[in-house]
Amino acid sequence: MRFSRWLADRWSMAVALLVLGYLFLPIAVVAALSFNRPSSRLSYDFNEFTLDNWRNPCATADMCDAVVRSVQIGFISTVVATVLGTLMAFALARHNFRGRSGINVLIFLPMATPELVMGTSLLALFVAGGVQLGFWTVVIAHVMFCVSFVVVTVKARLSGMDRRLEEAAMDLYASEWQTFRRITLPLVLPGIVAAALLAFSLSFDDFIITNFNSGTTVTFPMYVWGAAQRGIPPQVNVIGTAMFAVALLLVLATTLRGRRASRAAVAAPAAAGQVGGRS
């Protein structure tokens, strides 16, 4: 009976841990292979432990150039998509206007549209407009499908935010800008950062849409796809592990900062009320 009760109380956590283990298993394999010296270029078995892959992450100049190019495209796309998506999320979550319900439906179309359809459509658009395919066409394509993910993520954060905190700040004679800067922005910032990380991840590893609209521009996923025919260098696993570690650290830092900001936002009106009551 005690074991059954203990299992009933913790079965949801056990299922969650199993699902997380299933999701993180490929990442663990990639991290392990980053310390591997394969027996041949076409072999993916763990042969010998080595740190040479991390000491020399740039196996070839082409791979490093592809990584830098993917980071540049991802950074520009993330900044543009995050700014546009955040503004759209505030408009959809905080204001009532004609066509709002229709826009909410249209936001999901880029997320639901297959990448093959979107890639070929953008290719036809660029060719019909006489636009030369290259770096900037890839940036435009990535911004188009990243905006939807930013809007959905930031909007979810805004929907779960307690509006009474902003009202309390306004009751304490804070201006609209002060309320936004000290209350709204710190509370929404974790959602914005999460949306930016999601947009950067989607842009960095996109292959199908990029392949249609890249021209002669080679990104990191395209390099990996081309290298798979002659053997993927183990340094590719180093790049993947490093990207995951950086994203994990950013998420942890943003989460901790968000918790501190939430506590401060909740404590500020209460402290101001105590001070006002004493006076």
Side-chain angles (χ1 to χ4, degrees):
M1 292 295 295
R2 292 181 179 178
F3 177 76
S4 300
R5 185 178 302 173
W6 180 86
L7 185 62
D9 293 338
R10 293 170 174 81
W11 71 270
S12 57
M13 180 179 295
V15 172
L17 291 177
L18 289 175
V19 173
L20 288 176
Y22 174 76
L23 293 176
F24 282 96
L25 181 60
I27 300 175
V29 173
V30 170
L33 290 177
S34 67
F35 297 97
N36 178 40
R37 179 182 284 116
S39 56
S40 65
R41 291 185 64 87
L42 298 177
S43 176
Y44 297 97
D45 58 335
F46 195 87
N47 179 50
E48 181 183 355
F49 180 84
T50 181
L51 294 175
D52 293 339
N53 300 330
W54 286 88
R55 295 190 184 116
N56 184 25
C58 293
T60 61
D62 294 339
M63 190 185 77
C64 285
D65 293 340
V67 172
V68 172
R69 197 171 295 111
S70 290
V71 172
Q72 292 174 345
I73 293 174
F75 178 77
I76 298 174
S77 303
T78 299
V79 171
V80 177
T82 302
V83 172
L84 295 178
T86 302
L87 295 176
M88 291 179 64
F90 269 95
L92 293 173
R94 295 294 182 86
H95 301 280
N96 293 320
F97 52 89
R98 182 177 299 177
R100 177 187 175 191
S101 58
I103 294 177
N104 281 321
V105 175
L106 292 176
I107 286 298
F108 287 94
L109 285 182
M111 302 171 60
T113 303
E115 291 188 350
L116 183 64
V117 176
M118 183 175 292
T120 54
S121 301
L122 287 170
L123 175 61
L125 176 65
F126 291 139
V127 172
V131 180
Q132 184 178 1
L133 300 179
F135 182 90
W136 291 109
T137 55
V138 176
V139 171
I140 294 172
H142 286 195
V143 170
M144 289 189 65
F145 67 80
C146 286
V147 166
S148 298
F149 291 92
V150 174
V151 172
V152 172
T153 305
V154 178
K155 185 181 176 184
R157 180 68 179 180
L158 287 170
S159 300
M161 196 177 72
D162 191 356
R163 294 292 299 273
R164 291 176 297 180
L165 297 175
E166 297 174 301
E167 295 173 357
M170 298 289 286
D171 290 340
L172 295 173
Y173 304 102
S175 63
E176 293 184 358
W177 169 245
Q178 289 175 332
T179 302
F180 176 80
R181 183 170 60 89
R182 297 187 178 184
I183 303 298
T184 307
L185 184 59
L187 293 176
V188 182
L189 186 61
I192 297 176
V193 174
L197 291 176
L198 178 60
F200 183 83
S201 300
L202 293 172
S203 175
F204 186 85
D205 71 350
D206 181 77
F207 173 77
I208 298 177
I209 298 177
T210 304
N211 191 34
F212 278 104
N213 301 277
S214 60
T216 58
T217 303
V218 179
T219 60
F220 182 62
M222 296 178 64
Y223 171 83
V224 175
W225 177 76
Q229 303 175 5
R230 58 185 183 274
I232 300 177
Q235 284 80 2
V236 170
N237 300 314
V238 174
I239 301 299
T241 305
M243 293 294 296
F244 175 77
V246 171
L248 182 62
L249 291 176
L250 288 176
V251 169
L252 292 176
T254 305
T255 302
L256 293 176
R257 183 175 181 180
R259 289 182 178 179
R260 293 176 182 176
S262 300
R263 294 174 181 174
V266 173
Q274 293 178 357
V275 173
R278 293 176 182 177
S279 60

